[in-house]
Amino acid sequence: MIKLVVKTIICVILMAATMALIWVIPGTHPHDLAALLNKKEMLIVKPSPRMILVGGSSVLSMKSELISKELRYNVIDMSSWGGMGTFEILEEIKPYLKPADVVLVTMEYGTILDKKFYEYIHTNDEAKKFLFLMSPGRHILDSLKKREFFNLFKLMHELVQMKTKSFLLKIVTLNFSHLFDIGFPGFKDEFTVNGDRNRPYMVFRPLGDSKTNFSNPDWEKLSFLNDFNDFAAKRHARVLFYFSHFPENKYKENETYIEAYYQMMKKNFKGTIINKPGDFIYPEEYFADTIYHLNEKGESVRTPEMVKMLKKAL
Amino acid sequence: MLFNSIDFIIFLPTVVLVYFLLPYAWRWIWLLATSCFFFGYFYYSSYVAGTTPVYYYIILVLSVLSVILVDYLIAILINRSKSGSSNASKIYLLIGILFPLGLLFIFKYFNFFNQTVSQIANFFMLNYPTRVLNIIVPVGISYYTFHSISYIIDVYRGQKPERHLGIFSLYILFFPKIVAGPIERAGMLIPQFREEHTFDYQRFTDGLKLMAWGFFKKIVIADRAAIIANEVFNNPHGYQGIYLIIACFSFIFQVYCDFSGYSDIAVGTAQLMGFKLTDNFKRPYLSTSISDLWRRWHITLIAWLRDYIYIPLGGKRVARWRWQYNIMVIFLVSGIWHGANWTFIIWASLNGFYQLFSIWTENIRDRFNNLIGLTKVPRFHKALKILTTFLLFTFAGIFFRANTASDGFYIISHLHTGFGDLFKIIAALDYEKLKFFLVIQNKVTFLGFAKPAFLPEMATLALTLIVWYGVEIIQENSRQPLRLLISQKPWYVRWALYYGMLFALVFLGVFANQQFIYFKF
């Protein structure tokens, strides 16, 4: 019996050591949100002055090279799909914020006005994993303080599993030159040097996410923007906010709630709002697969308009 | 309680530890209590207050208890009546068989039967209102029904009945095999409950290794392949030929690894405490014919059908047509046993047809093989036979997995679709287009996986399938379990292999608590 117990302990130690080793060595995680790690790298590396884009997947198609060229900022597109945890992304940015940085934030209408969507974003386990991965130390301490030992183990185990499978694929395909890349596998193929998508969203009809069920906004859900604005001000950085694009028909359907959102922001937000909701309202032909994603045509209109607004605001 | 759950990881060591600490006389009580807990835990963990009336559960418990009590008493009555009137023992036998079968019919087949009658009535423009019985089907009902029937028949045939109600209850409810077998004969299992098992390190670790191999098949291979199979079979109209084919192969690997994985875990679990359960599989995907496959697949069910249906029907010792009829009956019963759905009946009929077809064509095939010289290259011939058998079984498996018979026919009729474009793209070596072709439009997942995860998951599945197949081939050639071969190797080889196994389980396992396929039967 003692022999059995000893061997069991050895096995547990071996597995724990393997898990720690895989956690420590660099590797990619085959998940869209792993791109956040690559974007965080940009945040560390790119020199000031920077324009940091924060928002959902509506931002990902931005042609930020144009912003960079016209405004002479180094752009870092920190956006990710679904507007996952804007609060968390801003928290990640904080330690790396430098004087003269500009943080350009948007919160897509669905993420604020659609209760179900809001709920989805804030309970999404996939997002939690990658937000955890951006600052593991901080999150581990948080979990330990909250005594969430099992959840902590589960999350770390799932991340290690992802990394293991990624290693396995690279070994099987003899892709040793990228064995120790980090973040999203093939980040350089899928994203630009600024972190935008390399390819436009594909066009599909009918548009996805069109079953919007909006209601009046709640400032409580956005008050963190003011906290971040205060923090940025102390660092001599600026926070700009803009209302995202939306299809014409959907805008008309939900004008009351969108207007309420605008009024609420005007009344409460301490930073600069650079546009009105009506400024980025486009016909359906400008959209790709969902009401939040512009196609190539839409994007080639939106980005220049954004540049103009930014020039005015800066 | 699922074997692949955290609950089981806590449950099993507790059961085993207490089992060995308890005095011998108390052990059966402990095993019975924990088996009841194991059985009841399925319902406890899935119970949501307000959704299902409590009396549903009471009916369910009463049905299981009644099977135990009725068959316990009937067996004693059969034994007593044997010395007196033989007609009485036949009546008791009939009651002993019909009672559990009746319950099985009510719980599992009543709605299917009713719907079928209703459809026939509708066809003939007759009015037959369909009534649906809202009940919970007891987990493992097909298994414990077959356990109890075999027990009654064995007693009728002369085996001594079990007089200890507790031990008999344990025979029906023994937790490693209650939900999905193996279907054990009373004569084999009941005496083991009376044996005093001491802790045996070799036997214990051997059981652990068998369990680990079972878990490997279940959580590393079956649950991964299941993601693809579920995605496509639940929406076959959304997919073209290549995807349908991938899903068919995924399912055929899933179903074997899932069920044989379960059986290994069950046998291994029992072995930890000193019990020997029957192996349910013997590398069926290395079979050289359909009849060979059915001797290696779900061995305890096939043996049951052979002993209690096929042989009483006359087996092979009857006229040729009658023998073939008996074969078909066995397959049809097997199909119906699997589930109340036409898909299982078609699946079983197809397998029965394969069997009959191979009988009809045996001479022609032998002559043809001689003619083209296949018999002169026995290894190649054998590989070809294995491949053909596997493909035939995979084809029939479409109906086993399809949600409806019409889905099954749809899949078969669309297996060849979409290849024109694929071949053109491959011929043009247009990688970008090929990538596009393989991405189903407007879906955030690809064959059930998030798109970036698809290739790593496929690489993992392919590698683990190679490992599994390699092990199967080694075992087939050596005719003994791999774990015995490994135990003869130097310590560093053994530990490297154990480490590899643990690594695969911990870092490549799918921990989604997916049910075992055979739990629903």
Side-chain angles (χ1 to χ4, degrees), chain B residues 111-123:
Chain B
N111 288 337
F112 172 65
F113 175 78
N114 227 354
Q115 279 164 6
T116 308
V117 173
S118 167
Q119 281 162 1
I120 294 168
N122 280 343
F123 183 77

Side-chain angles (χ1 to χ4, degrees), chain B residues 450-461:
Chain B
K451 279 179 191 167
F454 177 73
L455 281 179
E457 293 288 356
M458 283 298 98
T460 309
L461 182 60

Side-chain angles (χ1 to χ4, degrees), chain B residues 141-157:
Chain B
I141 186 168
S142 304
Y143 286 94
Y144 68 69
T145 300
F146 271 33
H147 274 99
S148 60
I149 291 174
S150 69
Y151 169 70
I152 288 294
I153 297 175
D154 287 348
V155 169
Y156 180 79
R157 286 175 179 172

Side-chain angles (χ1 to χ4, degrees), chain A residues 53-115:
Chain A
L53 312 182
V54 176
S57 53
S58 71
V59 188
L60 274 173
S61 58
M62 191 89 81
K63 295 176 182 300
S64 62
E65 259 180 56
L66 189 69
I67 298 175
S68 190
K69 194 177 143 193
E70 294 283 327
L71 301 171
R72 299 188 181 282
Y73 275 87
N74 289 313
V75 180
I76 304 161
D77 186 344
M78 289 292 292
S79 60
S80 63
W81 54 258
M84 297 298 172
T86 304
F87 166 75
E88 287 278 357
I89 298 286
L90 292 176
E91 286 297 302
E92 286 301 327
I93 290 171
K94 274 182 180 177
Y96 308 102
L97 212 54
K98 294 173 185 170
D101 279 353
V102 173
V103 182
L104 181 62
V105 185
T106 189
M107 298 282 286
E108 286 92 342
Y109 297 117
T111 63
I112 289 301
L113 301 175
D114 189 330
K115 281 180 183 162

